Amino acid sequence: MRKLLFFLPLSVFLVLGVVFYLQLGKDAEYMPSALVGKQVPDFTLVSLQDNQVYTSKDLPNTPYLINFWGTWCPACHVEHPFLMELSNAGVPIVGIDYKDEKTPAEQWLEQKGNPYHIILMDEIGNFGVDMGVTGAPETFVVNGSGVVVYRHQGVINAENWPEIKGYMK
């Protein structure tokens, strides 16, 4: 029995080594979304622009992006100029001001420009939870039928846009 206890740490080490070896080469930042292949969850949110109530039925019926952002998010500052480029190129973007306050969000958009087709306030973060958001910025590609087809965590930029754009069919 004592000999078995002697080899137990070695056995655990070998099992962990095999698990880590099998993970080599995989994209460590990729995190699949449970929503891929499913409809955008129903929501009721207030627009930052005009204080009107929007639901999932008010979303575009063409492919578009849902971008979660916040003025508190440093990476969102980095991402914003590229979102402006996408918007100027005609990419429809629904902005979700995530866990933020209205006044700083309005100031942000006034200073940096508004790349969003619609801007909705998710102050408490309930819609973010329904979408499986883990932080900001986070962007979802939604097809014309309202189905989430891709999730991107982190900044959208010129390097990763071609891959993301491929999902906008």
Side-chain angles (χ1 to χ4, degrees):
M1 184 68 175
R2 289 187 152 209
K3 288 183 180 180
L4 286 176
L5 290 176
F6 178 75
F7 288 106
L8 183 62
L10 179 63
S11 300
V12 169
F13 177 78
L14 289 174
V15 169
L16 289 175
V18 169
V19 169
F20 288 130
Y21 178 77
L22 293 174
Q23 297 300 316
L24 287 177
K26 293 185 177 180
D27 185 359
E29 294 186 14
Y30 176 73
M31 181 181 283
S33 171
L35 277 184
V36 171
K38 297 180 181 174
Q39 292 284 321
V40 171
D42 289 333
F43 65 83
T44 302
L45 295 172
V46 175
S47 168
L48 178 72
Q49 297 152 302
D50 56 15
N51 289 324
Q52 290 194 6
V53 175
Y54 282 74
T55 68
S56 54
K57 294 176 183 165
D58 298 314
L59 294 174
N61 55 9
T62 58
Y64 61 96
L65 302 176
I66 296 179
N67 177 254
F68 285 79
W69 63 280
T71 58
W72 49 266
C73 161
C76 297
H77 290 266
V78 173
E79 180 184 60
H80 198 82
F82 191 72
L83 293 179
M84 290 297 296
E85 287 180 33
L86 294 179
S87 177
N88 291 336
V91 176
I93 307 170
V94 174
I96 308 294
D97 188 22
Y98 183 62
K99 296 184 177 180
D100 204 357
E101 295 177 7
K102 184 174 181 170
T103 301
E106 289 172 331
Q107 291 170 348
W108 160 295
L109 294 170
E110 189 176 310
Q111 293 170 355
K112 297 178 179 282
N114 179 5
Y116 304 110
H117 179 75
I118 301 169
I119 309 166
L120 303 173
M121 298 287 298
D122 188 18
E123 294 172 288
I124 299 172
N126 288 340
F127 183 54
V129 169
D130 291 345
M131 291 291 289
V133 171
T134 58
E138 195 159 321
T139 303
F140 296 83
V141 178
V142 181
N143 69 17
S145 301
V147 174
V148 175
V149 294
Y150 184 73
R151 171 190 187 184
H152 178 80
Q153 292 177 298
V155 173
I156 293 180
N157 54 35
E159 292 175 19
N160 57 35
W161 174 242
E163 179 184 354
I164 297 167
K165 184 180 179 182
Y167 290 96
M168 295 193 68
K169 298 175 186 172

